[in-house]
Amino acid sequence: MADPLDDIAFLANSANRVAVLEALTTGAHHRDELRERVDVSRVTLARILDDFEDRRWIERTGQTCRATPLGAWVSEAFAELRETMTSEHRLREVLPWFPAEQVSFDVRCLRDADIVTPTPTNMWAHVQRGADCFRSAQRARVVSTQTAPPIVEATKTAVEEYEQRFEAVLTAALIETVGSNATMAPLFAELLDAPTVDIYVYEDELPVTVFLTDGTVGLPLTDDEDIARALVLSENETVYDWAESTFEQYRARSDPVDPDAFTA
């Protein structure tokens, strides 16, 4: 019996084979139509079709070909594998900063996540995207050890203009840092005056930073020096449940912040 890995390699090593098999799963195609659609030579197409027929992945009637149920199954499974590897490649880039020990969900829940990282032309792309999430949300909840002016400004705009419901659990260290910052302290003081805003202080260290803006979960990722390196955005239900539970857990163990903390 042939090694299944041989057939996987057979497909993986040729984009033309993958394209031809995918085309044939959509219905019967004449050889000339296939050649034009996939843009391969007659010789290459003939060799591919012969190989597929040997594996019983296709059947031919004259010059017309179609995928067999077996061929359609192989094509679908291979497409799923490619999708998995595409997601894995995206997550691989940010895995060194991902708080795997602090989350209870399987990393596969992030297969459809949006991963935002700095670009050569925009070093603050991930921060700006986070600010966009806060700016457009009707409700925002945060558990955080750090913040950035664009996030605070976006939240302030949403609270003032759209009466956003905003709740934040911040570490005592972050409250102290913000309170001593001549730019940030007034922004937080104004936020705290709004009737739709509640800010809590958590006296110990927080193991993870996470936010919820409506149905989206944001995981800001930082390196060992607390430099923001990426933002993971997910609408996965399992990830959302974890984030909501995390927020509720730390809010229950926090106290309302003293308004005087933001008098710089």
Side-chain angles (χ1 to χ4, degrees):
M1 182 176 179
D3 189 332
L5 289 177
D6 291 339
D7 284 329
I8 294 174
F10 167 76
L11 271 180
N13 290 333
S14 171
N16 287 333
R17 292 173 189 151
V18 174
V20 170
L21 188 58
E22 286 180 344
L24 291 176
T25 62
T26 65
H29 287 73
H30 190 277
R31 286 171 62 114
D32 291 342
E33 180 187 355
L34 261 183
R35 189 170 64 85
E36 186 174 326
R37 177 169 176 169
V38 182
D39 192 23
V40 294
S41 68
R42 292 183 183 277
V43 172
T44 298
L45 179 61
R47 184 166 56 248
I48 290 173
L49 294 177
D50 287 344
D51 289 337
F52 283 175
E53 194 167 35
D54 289 343
R55 289 170 169 79
R56 297 184 173 84
W57 292 353
I58 66 166
E59 55 188 12
R60 292 195 260 194
T61 303
Q63 297 296 307
T64 301
C65 311
R66 73 170 67 243
T68 64
L70 190 63
W73 181 19
V74 168
S75 180
E76 180 181 352
F78 192 78
E80 290 176 357
L81 176 60
R82 284 199 299 167
E83 183 179 343
T84 296
M85 296 311 298
T86 298
S87 298
E88 187 276 337
H89 278 208
R90 293 188 301 112
L91 290 170
R92 183 190 303 178
E93 298 302 318
V94 301
L95 192 61
W97 313 303
F98 186 74
E101 296 180 357
Q102 310 303 332
V103 302
S104 59
F105 57 83
D106 191 295
V107 70
R108 285 173 289 186
C109 292
L110 297 175
R111 66 185 304 158
D112 296 323
D114 191 3
I115 299 174
V116 188
T117 56
T119 68
T121 58
N122 187 357
M123 294 301 296
W124 295 99
H126 50 317
V127 176
Q128 291 171 355
R129 182 64 177 278
D132 290 342
C133 291
F134 282 89
R135 188 178 293 109
S136 62
Q138 293 183 332
R139 184 185 186 189
R141 288 168 286 176
V142 185
V143 173
S144 184
T145 61
Q146 59 180 223
T147 190
I151 301 292
V152 180
E153 291 167 0
T155 301
K156 184 173 177 293
T157 297
V159 167
E160 291 177 349
E161 297 185 7
Y162 313 115
E163 297 185 340
Q164 179 191 86
R165 177 71 174 112
F166 177 77
E167 301 170 89
V169 176
L170 309 178
T171 61
L174 177 56
I175 296 291
E176 182 178 353
T177 298
V178 170
S180 61
N181 185 292
T183 300
M184 298 281 280
L187 293 176
F188 269 81
E190 291 181 34
L191 268 179
L192 200 57
D193 281 341
T196 60
V197 173
D198 288 304
I199 300 177
Y200 303 87
V201 57
Y202 185 74
E203 294 296 340
D204 297 322
E205 293 185 4
L206 287 168
V208 65
T209 291
V210 60
F211 66 75
L212 299 95
T213 50
D214 293 336
T216 299
V217 174
L219 274 169
L221 304 183
T222 58
D223 61 19
D224 294 338
E225 298 179 355
D226 285 336
I227 298 175
R229 303 298 297 267
L231 175 63
V232 178
L233 297 171
S234 174
E235 296 181 358
N236 178 272
E237 183 176 349
T238 300
V239 176
Y240 186 90
D241 288 345
W242 166 82
E244 189 169 51
S245 175
T246 298
F247 174 80
E248 296 293 345
Q249 172 189 347
Y250 287 106
R251 184 180 63 175
R253 294 157 57 185
S254 303
D255 297 311
V257 70
D258 183 350
D260 291 338
F262 300 127
T263 304

